[in-house]
């Protein structure tokens, strides 16, 4: 059930597959005899420098992959100086995440239509030191994800006979999760009210963007954009960055490959505007391709949770090291010493 929640996507999963296939089919142009002895993976990000060219996209209920997953991600963010997303639907409170991340966390807001609840979350985020707010706009309704539905995945858990059998078949996961307490929507409960991850957010419109811009003085990122027209309009509201994303194929199965829309959006917003990218990146060369298609920074989702599920915090560190090595080797093959030198010219059409 947990694997189907993490790995699952909208419909038959073709949109999610197409994201990865499209990235895989991009070819990069090797160049030779440039001195590439000294390579750097640092990338400028909101006036600072991210230690690695990839960050952690916000994900709800990460502790389902293993107990303590949110804090493992936060510690990775702290040690590498990269951003980790603290989701509205996180299984660890936004206060605990930013502390463990030593400030390297971005708060991700789902606007539920309940302005009081959103204001309360913004106040909490501000109070504990978040400087970057990510508003996710591609979930007017939660996408239909049959693998979740078939498993009866609900938060909080509803444990019927099929779920009980499923847990019994995965004793290591079940016992460790039981021992550490079952994951909850940690930003809610008690005085903070209840959150329904499947609730409709269909009432949000452009006026929300204006209100949020007025309320949030820090960096404001709009996540989940696939249209060049939308991107231009968002930019005109004084938004600091756009995260091009198809939510990892979890929302609209028939959406175009997000990486192709990244290139179109880059053309529409000009070369200087900060554009972040996530969806379908699985290796170091994929990350380099996203920069070549126009990203100013990139983030990954599922691979982090798979690494934790497979190998805990050590697995996560190993995956980070592997990705960094792959990127560095790819830079050498392309004849450049840093990510900022990657550009569209390096793609072979
Ligand atoms: C298990 C899971 C939970 C997610 N929860 C959120 C969320 O709470 N908020 C959000 O903005 N995006 C959420 N996302 C989307 C990710 O931020 C990101 O867009 C996506 O995972 C990137 O694609 P990738 O998994 O192919 O790297 C979630 C993704 C997954 C896999």
């Amino acid at each position: 059930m947990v694997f189907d929640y993490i790995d699952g996507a909208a419909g038959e999963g073709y949109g999610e597959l197409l994201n990865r296939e499209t990235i895989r089919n991009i070819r990069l142009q090797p160049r030779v005899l440039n001195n590439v002895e000294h390579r750097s993976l640092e990338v400028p990000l909101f006036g600072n420098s991210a230690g690695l060219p990839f960050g952690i996209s916000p994900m709800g209920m990460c502790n389902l992959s293993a107990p303590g997953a949110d804090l493992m991600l936060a510690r990775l963010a702290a040690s590498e100086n990269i951003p980790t997303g603290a989701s509205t639907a996180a299984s660890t409170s936004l206060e605990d995440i930013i502390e463990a991340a030593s400030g390297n966390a971005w708060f991700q807001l789902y606007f539920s239509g309940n302005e009081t609840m959103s204001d309360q979350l913004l106040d909490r985020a501000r109070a504990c030191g978040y400087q970057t707010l990510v508003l996710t706009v591609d979930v007017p309704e939660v996408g239909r994800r049959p693998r979740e539905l078939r498993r009866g995945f609900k938060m909080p858990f509803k444990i019927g006979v099929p779920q009980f059998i499923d847990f019994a078949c995965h004793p290591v996961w079940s016992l460790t999760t039981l021992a550490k307490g079952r994951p909850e929507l940690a930003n809610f409960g008690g005085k903070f009210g209840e959150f329904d991850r499947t609730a409709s957010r269909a009432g949000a419109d452009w006026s929300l963007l204006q209100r949020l811009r007025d309320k949030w003085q820090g960096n404001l990122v709009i996540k989940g954009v696939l249209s060049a027209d939308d991107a231009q309009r968002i930019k005109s509201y004084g938004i600091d960055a756009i995260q091009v994303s198809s939510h990892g194929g979890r929302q609209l199965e028939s959406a175009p490959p997000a990486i192709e829309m990244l290139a179109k959006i880059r053309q529409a917003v000009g070369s200087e505007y900060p554009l972040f990218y996530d969806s379908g990146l699985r290796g170091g060369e994929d990350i380099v391709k996203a920069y070549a298609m126009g990203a100013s920074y990139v983030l990954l989702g599922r691979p982090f949770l798979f690494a934790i599920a497979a190998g805990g915090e050590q697995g996560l560190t190993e995956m980070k090291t592997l990705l960094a090595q792959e990127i560095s080797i790819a830079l050498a093959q392309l004849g450049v010493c840093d990510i900022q030198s990657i550009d569209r010219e390096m793609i072979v059409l």
Side-chain angles (χ1 to χ4, degrees):
M1 182 173 83
V2 170
F3 179 66
D4 281 330
Y5 162 61
I6 296 171
D7 192 52
E12 291 176 34
Y14 185 64
E16 192 273 334
L17 178 68
L18 193 62
N19 273 338
R20 287 184 286 121
E21 290 294 322
T22 309
I23 294 166
R24 188 178 295 170
N25 286 329
I26 295 172
R27 302 286 94 198
L28 296 170
Q29 178 65 63
R31 298 300 300 267
V32 298
L33 292 174
N34 287 335
N35 183 331
V36 287
E37 261 178 319
H38 304 290
R39 300 187 296 278
S40 157
L41 297 188
E42 293 198 2
V43 180
L45 188 58
F46 287 142
N48 292 313
S49 176
L52 290 171
F54 55 89
I56 303 158
S57 209
M59 287 177 285
M61 299 308 301
C62 292
N63 286 358
L64 288 172
S65 62
D70 284 313
L71 294 181
M72 294 179 199
L73 294 169
R75 285 192 289 270
L76 180 68
S79 67
E80 301 299 329
N81 213 17
I82 58 172
T84 187
S87 164
T88 297
S91 41
T92 303
S93 75
L94 58 113
E95 287 84 1
D96 288 351
I97 289 180
I98 195 159
E99 194 189 331
S102 302
N104 290 289
W106 295 353
F107 180 61
Q108 177 268 319
L109 180 71
Y110 273 132
F111 181 74
S112 62
N114 177 341
E115 200 122 351
T116 318
M117 183 180 270
S118 301
D119 283 352
Q120 207 175 41
L121 285 167
L122 291 189
D123 289 343
R124 284 172 64 191
R126 209 176 279 115
C128 64
Y130 282 87
Q131 289 176 355
T132 300
L133 175 68
V134 179
L135 175 71
T136 299
V137 288
D138 59 359
V139 190
E141 302 286 352
V142 174
R144 202 155 182 285
R145 302 171 195 156
R147 286 169 63 187
E148 269 181 32
L149 298 173
R150 223 173 279 136
R151 296 287 200 165
F153 178 82
K154 292 238 160 28
M155 278 316 299
F157 280 146
K158 232 179 99 228
I159 303 181
V161 174
Q163 290 80 18
F164 188 82
I165 295 171
D166 187 2
F167 293 161
C169 291
H170 299 91
V172 175
W173 181 90
S174 302
L175 293 175
T176 45
T177 299
L178 211 66
K180 304 275 177 178
R182 71 178 183 194
E184 308 276 359
L185 291 161
N187 288 322
F188 300 92
K191 65 175 176 161
F192 296 125
E194 296 305 322
F195 177 77
D196 176 2
R197 75 179 267 273
T198 59
S200 171
R201 299 171 188 104
D205 61 18
W206 291 93
S207 67
L208 169 67
L209 212 55
Q210 190 59 61
R211 288 202 301 285
L212 212 57
R213 181 64 292 183
D214 295 341
K215 276 179 194 166
W216 184 263
Q217 269 66 57
N219 304 314
L220 184 52
V221 183
I222 304 300
K223 172 176 183 281
V225 179
L226 289 173
S227 141
D229 288 345
D230 285 348
Q232 276 175 320
R233 188 161 176 195
I234 290 168
K235 184 184 168 192
S236 76
Y237 280 71
I239 303 301
D240 301 290
I242 291 174
Q243 189 158 328
V244 177
S245 163
S246 66
H247 216 103
R250 290 163 82 82
Q251 283 300 102
L252 179 69
E253 185 181 18
S254 305
I259 196 85
E260 286 182 358
M261 301 324 286
L262 169 64
K264 294 207 163 96
I265 292 175
R266 171 52 76 204
Q267 265 195 330
V269 298
S271 59
E272 298 304 313
Y273 188 73
L275 272 189
F276 305 154
Y277 177 82
D278 75 65
S279 289
L281 304 171
R282 293 294 177 269
E285 291 190 17
D286 288 354
I287 291 170
V288 171
K289 289 173 187 179
Y291 281 94
M293 294 294 269
S296 329
Y297 196 67
V298 311
L299 301 101
L300 284 72
R302 295 179 186 88
F304 288 110
L305 298 188
F306 293 149
I308 290 175
E313 195 151 10
Q314 193 194 336
L316 180 64
T317 310
E318 278 174 25
M319 191 195 78
K320 175 265 308 180
T321 306
L322 202 66
L323 285 178
Q325 282 172 352
E326 287 177 355
I327 295 168
S328 179
I329 291 168
L331 291 182
Q333 300 292 336
L334 298 175
V336 294
C337 290
D338 65 87
I339 291 278
Q340 276 130 248
S341 310
I342 297 286
D343 65 28
R344 194 63 204 255
E345 299 299 304
M346 292 175 180
I347 294 176
V348 184
L349 294 173

